[in-house]
């Protein structure tokens, strides 16, 4: 490891320069061009990364603009480091140009500095150090440059259909030490046709809330048509939610009352950190006289089986394991339109279960409700037992390089590791450091850029020797 570390120090200036070159390219997904399926910026970033790789002495391959890779070594099997060159929009609030790659106070500022151009360049230079030191390897090594991680990872199936899977590897696109477990991820709609109307001259004309299924909604509204708005307002003034005054306000309208529910946003993988504006509003709508109607049945079902729970217990899907904890249950969107109510859910189930374990329970709860599951999108869990050779090897390297205990992390979110077999997420964010991904003023500390190169070089050698 000392040889690799010493070589990285020699290559430090070149690593910084080449990282800046890649960061200066605005690689947002755009309309496809010939040989550039994700647009000119992404295509140029891939070309630049392969140009740098070739200059460093690696064999390079460009798979029709979808994916490229730098390769070194011989052998039937290969070790992969999977990173990506595409970025999210820069947004506002930058104190330095987001594609300037300027260095200030030992930090390189740019969109993609941490996510994920800086780390994949660290891995490339880690492999360069292995090559320069002449350490013997029994496997090939590929640094794989993805191009579509931020908008769907559609490039990886293209790669997987043309190349065999790596024997082992990692993605520098999350955090240290090692993420060994990622919950199964589902997004789907609960859909019910609304036929029978409400009684007592009261009807829900519209109901809409939430931005995305994988976010706890911080706002939801309902327009109630009624000839007795004072009664709705009176009930609202008395309504308490979770033993507190609710965060629901109202406006008088020509039709009746517009109800506005306010919550607290959070990521869909951690719904317990937020407050669900949709479910708060449904709780109040359950106080209104909609009994015996389709919309009333739907509201009652949701209040009785979801409420503000975030583990799916009342729904009967409260799966749990020792590796990754409890299932997370998030209601992300709701929309009543043209006689159909649609509620979008984001459920993340523990890693030792299968999708069928969850779906069987869901379907059992929905029997005789006329509520259907539609538009199911699924990512299977990622799980490596703690004693798996890949995990043990990365733990060994991390401890040797940092002196820190290589604790294993289980998360509810999904990383790039789910897109390719035999890959886990390994860095680049060190414990205690801020997560600047997708933020204004994103940067990578030069010290961390170099440290990552040492860790990744050592990990490549450990896996490929």
């Amino acid at each position: 490891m000392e040889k690799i570390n010493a070589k990285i120090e020699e290559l430090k200036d070149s690593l910084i320069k080449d990282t800046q070159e890649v960061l200066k390219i605005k690689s947002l997904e755009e309309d496809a061009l010939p040989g550039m399926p994700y647009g000119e910026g992404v295509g140029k970033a891939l070309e630049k990364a392969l140009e740098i790789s070739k200059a460093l002495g690696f064999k390079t391959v460009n798979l029709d603009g979808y994916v490229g890779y730098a390769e070194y070594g011989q052998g039937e099997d290969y070790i992969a480091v999977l990173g990506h060159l595409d970025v999210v929009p820069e947004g506002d609030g930058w104190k330095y140009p987001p594609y300037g790659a300027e260095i200030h106070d030992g930090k390189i500022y740019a969109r993609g500095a941490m996510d994920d151009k800086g780390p994949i360049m660290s891995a490339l230079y880690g492999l360069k150090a292995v090559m320069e030191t002449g350490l013997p390897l029994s496997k090939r090594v590929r640094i794989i440059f993805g191009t579509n991680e931020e908008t769907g990872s559609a490039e990886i199936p293209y790669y997987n259909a043309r190349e065999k899977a790596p024997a082992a590897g990692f993605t520098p696109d999350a955090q240290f030490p090692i993420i060994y477990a990622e919950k199964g991820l589902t997004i789907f709609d609960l859909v019910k046709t609304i036929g029978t109307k409400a009684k007592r001259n009261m009807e829900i004309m519209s109901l809409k809330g939430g931005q995305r299924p994988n976010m706890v909604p911080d706002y939801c509204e309902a327009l109630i048509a009624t000839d007795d708005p004072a009664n709705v307002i009176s009930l609202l003034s008395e309504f308490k939610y979770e033993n507190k005054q609710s965060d629901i306000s109202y406006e008088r309208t020509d039709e009746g009352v517009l109800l506005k529910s306010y919550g607290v946003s959070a990521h869909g993988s951690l719904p317990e950190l937020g407050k669900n504006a949709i479910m708060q509003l449904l709780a109040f709508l359950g106080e209104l006289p909609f009994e015996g109607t389709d919309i009333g049945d739907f509201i009652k079902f949701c209040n009785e089986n979801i409420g503000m729970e975030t583990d799916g217990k009342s729904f009967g899907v409260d799966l749990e394991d020792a590796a990754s904890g409890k299932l997370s249950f998030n209601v992300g969107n709701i929309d009543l339109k043209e006689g159909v109510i649609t509620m979008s859910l984001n459920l993340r189930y523990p890693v030792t279960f299968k999708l069928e374990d969850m779906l069987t329970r869901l379907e059992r709860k929905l029997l005789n409700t006329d509520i259907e599951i539609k538009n199911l999108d699924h990512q299977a869990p990622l799980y490596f037992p703690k004693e798996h050779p890949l995990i043990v090897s990365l733990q060994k390297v991390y401890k040797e390089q940092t002196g820190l205990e290589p604790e294993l992390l289980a998360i509810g979110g999904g990383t790039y590791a789910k897109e390719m077999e035999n890959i886990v997420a390994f860095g680049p964010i060190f414990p205690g450091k801020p997560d600047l991904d997708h933020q204004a003023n994103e940067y990578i500390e030069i010290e961390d850029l170099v440290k990552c190169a040492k860790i990744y070089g050592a990990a490549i050698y450990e896996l490929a020797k």
Side-chain angles (χ1 to χ4, degrees):
M1 302 300 181
E2 289 81 3
K3 287 184 179 180
I4 293 173
N5 289 352
K7 184 56 66 173
I8 292 294
E9 287 296 334
E10 292 178 23
L11 296 167
K12 176 179 175 179
D13 290 344
S14 181
L15 166 60
I16 295 168
K17 173 181 166 295
D18 284 342
T19 300
Q20 288 177 294
E21 287 298 306
V22 175
L23 288 171
K24 288 176 182 176
I25 300 171
K26 185 175 181 176
S27 50
L28 293 169
E29 182 179 7
E30 299 170 318
D31 293 339
L33 296 172
M36 296 180 175
Y38 304 113
E40 184 175 12
V42 174
K44 286 185 173 180
L46 180 58
E47 289 173 358
K48 175 58 69 175
L50 294 176
E51 175 190 310
I52 290 168
S53 300
K54 190 171 185 179
L56 290 174
F58 299 119
K59 170 189 172 183
T60 60
V61 173
N62 186 336
L63 291 176
D64 307 316
Y66 286 89
V67 180
Y69 61 83
E71 186 174 80
Y72 169 69
Q74 304 293 324
E76 181 66 23
D77 293 326
Y78 72 95
I79 300 301
V81 184
L82 174 64
H84 65 92
L85 299 169
D86 61 310
V87 298
V88 297
E90 62 275 15
D92 299 322
W94 288 76
K95 57 184 175 182
Y96 306 113
Y99 301 103
E102 295 180 6
I103 297 174
H104 299 275
D105 300 319
K107 303 167 184 174
I108 307 176
Y109 284 84
R111 174 58 80 226
M114 184 64 81
D115 180 26
D116 187 38
K117 293 178 178 178
I120 196 61
M121 294 303 292
S122 287
L124 182 68
Y125 268 82
L127 180 57
K128 173 67 172 176
V130 171
M131 181 174 72
E132 289 287 307
T133 53
L135 292 167
L137 304 181
S138 67
K139 302 177 182 68
R140 291 174 288 143
V141 181
R142 284 184 183 175
I143 309 298
I144 302 174
F145 300 106
T147 58
N148 188 238
E149 191 274 342
E150 298 292 5
T151 48
S153 299
E155 85 282 34
I156 302 303
Y158 192 90
Y159 176 93
N160 291 337
R162 288 157 180 79
E163 303 284 339
K164 75 173 189 175
F170 57 88
T171 178
D173 193 31
Q175 62 239 43
F176 284 121
I178 302 154
I179 297 174
Y180 81 117
E182 301 179 18
K183 288 180 181 177
L185 175 61
T186 62
I187 291 176
F188 58 91
D189 295 332
L190 298 183
V191 181
K192 181 180 175 72
T193 300
I194 304 302
T196 55
K197 299 287 186 179
K199 304 171 185 175
R200 304 184 202 175
N201 301 317
M202 186 174 292
E203 184 177 350
I204 300 176
M205 302 300 294
S206 65
L207 174 59
K208 188 172 183 62
Q211 299 180 56
R212 296 199 301 268
N214 65 347
M215 290 177 63
V216 177
D218 60 5
Y219 181 73
C220 183
E221 65 178 36
L223 178 59
I224 310 299
T226 176
D227 56 7
D228 189 9
N231 182 47
V232 176
I233 295 167
S234 175
L235 288 170
L236 180 60
S237 69
E238 299 169 3
F239 178 68
K240 293 189 183 302
Y241 196 46
E242 295 189 311
N243 298 316
K244 293 182 288 189
Q245 189 66 37
S246 70
D247 291 319
I248 303 175
S249 63
Y250 71 90
E251 288 181 15
R252 299 286 289 262
T253 70
D254 292 341
E255 294 94 343
V257 183
L258 178 65
L259 300 171
K260 299 182 176 182
S261 174
Y262 298 92
V264 177
S265 184
H267 196 280
S269 64
L270 297 167
E272 67 275 12
L273 300 182
K275 179 179 178 181
N276 198 300
I278 292 173
M279 295 312 303
Q280 177 179 239
L281 186 54
L282 290 186
F284 175 65
L285 294 178
E287 301 290 310
L288 301 181
F290 296 119
E291 303 95 335
T293 67
D294 289 334
I295 190 68
D297 290 345
F298 184 85
I299 292 168
K300 181 180 180 182
F301 175 86
C302 292
N303 287 334
E304 290 181 350
N305 296 291
I306 303 174
M308 291 299 268
E309 291 180 357
T310 57
D311 61 2
K313 184 175 182 180
S314 294
F315 218 102
V317 292
D318 50 331
L319 306 174
E320 183 176 3
D321 65 20
S324 58
K326 295 181 178 182
L327 174 143
S328 64
F329 191 114
N330 183 59
V331 175
N333 299 82
I334 196 166
D335 192 17
L336 173 61
K337 186 164 50 180
E338 297 177 355
V340 176
I341 190 161
T342 302
M343 174 182 277
S344 300
L345 303 182
N346 177 201
L347 273 60
R348 299 164 190 249
Y349 61 92
V351 297
T352 58
F353 291 91
K354 294 182 171 61
L355 174 64
E356 292 72 26
D357 298 322
M358 188 188 78
L359 278 181
T360 300
R361 290 165 170 80
L362 281 171
E363 290 165 351
R364 188 182 303 141
K365 179 63 70 171
L366 294 174
L367 279 175
N368 304 315
T369 65
D370 295 325
I371 300 172
E372 298 180 86
I373 297 174
K374 293 188 177 182
N375 306 317
L376 176 68
D377 186 25
H378 174 241
Q379 273 192 320
L382 180 149
Y383 176 52
F384 286 78
K386 293 181 179 181
E387 64 276 9
H388 191 282
L390 173 58
I391 301 300
V392 173
S393 294
L394 295 181
Q395 283 184 302
K396 174 177 178 284
V397 167
Y398 184 80
K399 187 165 187 177
E400 287 177 351
Q401 289 284 347
T402 67
L404 302 173
E405 284 301 316
E407 296 178 9
L408 300 181
L409 307 175
I411 63 171
T415 76
Y416 212 20
K418 278 188 174 177
E419 305 299 331
M420 190 172 290
E421 291 181 29
N422 306 321
I423 299 284
V424 296
F426 185 46
I429 303 171
F430 288 97
K433 294 291 181 77
D435 181 353
L436 302 169
D437 295 359
H438 302 188
Q439 304 297 312
N441 301 309
E442 179 183 352
Y443 65 79
I444 189 166
E445 295 178 39
I446 289 174
E447 180 182 341
D448 287 349
L449 183 74
V450 174
K451 190 189 298 185
C452 281
K454 293 175 180 177
I455 293 172
Y456 294 150
I460 287 167
Y461 174 64
E462 186 69 27
L463 295 172
K465 68 182 181 182

